[in-house]
Amino acid sequence: MSWGFQNRLNKILPNKRAVMLAIDHGYFLGPIRGLEKPEETVRDLLPYTDSLYLTRGTLAACIPKNTEKPMVLRVSGGPTTLGKDLANETIVTSIKEAIRHNVVGVGVSVFIGSDYETQTVTNLAQVVTDAHDYGIPVLGITAVGKELEKRDARFLALASRVLAEMGTDIVKTYYCDDFEQVTSKCPVPIVIAGGPKFDTIREALEITYNAMEQGAAGVDMGRNIWQSQHPLAMIQAIHSIVHKRFTVNEAVDLYESSSKVKA
């Protein structure tokens, strides 16, 4: 790959580890709690994230033009939670548009096992071809829509490998039991999604730590950070595990020190 591709990939994965902050949820959920005003949500969190994952509308309307933080742009979408099937995605943002927005990467959701499996795999394959023409890395997402029961090692290993086979440069997937069965069979770096908010702070930190110990390259989290009662403390704790190799107890201590509350 070109110097430009490697440079962009290194911005997403500095030292081969990443804390990505996902704020793209409005494309199918609308003004979800915590993202009513994205610019306010991310303001204090930016120093502790390596890149933002977002839509072109949020980037254009809500992110200050002098922001130096790298941006990864969601380019697939279409259905919302009000529609019949979240899996029925198409490509809604072109690579030309992504380049115009000066992003370091683009992301595409793929719904393996759904009625729209072939359509969304094809979406990814075409974006990989187009993006790589311009040296832009691609994040492939093993989306499950509302079917959360699909989050087991067998399914996620299959889905992650399919995305890698299509040429994606980073896979975003969910943490699960036997997670090393997913990471060990995927030839590209994996970052984990947070998904719906966990019940406790410790649970979110334990999943982050366990994922890193079992081969993940980092996280691409959203709700478990900006829907936390103390988002800044939460992202600091996540960052400490990913980049400073803190234990769960050390990260909990950091959270409590920063938030001034018991986790």
Side-chain angles (χ1 to χ4, degrees), residues 220-241:
D220 184 15
M221 284 190 177
R223 283 170 281 189
N224 280 285
I225 293 174
W226 39 259
Q227 284 187 343
S228 167
Q229 287 187 316
H230 301 279
L232 179 57
M234 190 62 186
I235 199 170
Q236 287 174 327
I238 295 289
H239 184 276
S240 73
I241 292 173

Side-chain angles (χ1 to χ4, degrees), residues 250-263:
E250 289 172 333
V252 169
D253 288 344
L254 177 61
Y255 176 89
E256 293 178 341
S257 174
S258 179
S259 66
K260 309 300 182 187
V261 299
K262 191 74 174 175

Side-chain angles (χ1 to χ4, degrees), residues 114-164:
S114 76
D115 291 342
Y116 298 96
E117 176 182 82
T118 297
Q119 174 179 308
T120 57
V121 169
T122 302
N123 289 343
L124 174 66
Q126 189 59 57
V127 167
V128 167
T129 298
D130 294 343
H132 284 182
D133 275 347
Y134 296 96
I136 298 176
V138 178
L139 172 72
I141 303 155
T142 63
V144 296
K146 298 177 181 179
E147 299 170 315
L148 303 183
E149 71 277 2
K150 287 184 177 179
R151 297 186 198 179
D152 61 62
R154 183 177 179 181
F155 170 80
L156 295 176
L158 184 155
S160 297
R161 181 59 178 263
V162 168
L163 270 58

Side-chain angles (χ1 to χ4, degrees), residues 88-103:
N88 188 15
E89 285 198 355
T90 62
I91 299 305
V92 295
T93 305
S94 69
I95 297 303
K96 181 179 179 180
E97 181 76 357
I99 293 170
R100 185 181 294 122
H101 283 290
N102 196 35
V103 303

Side-chain angles (χ1 to χ4, degrees), residues 26-43:
Y27 88 97
F28 72 105
L29 287 170
I32 183 175
R33 180 177 65 84
L35 278 184
E36 296 91 343
K37 297 182 178 181
E39 66 277 17
E40 295 180 7
T41 299
V42 305
R43 184 178 298 135

Side-chain angles (χ1 to χ4, degrees), residues 12 62 79 154 249:
I12 302 170
C62 303
R154 183 177 179 181
N249 286 338

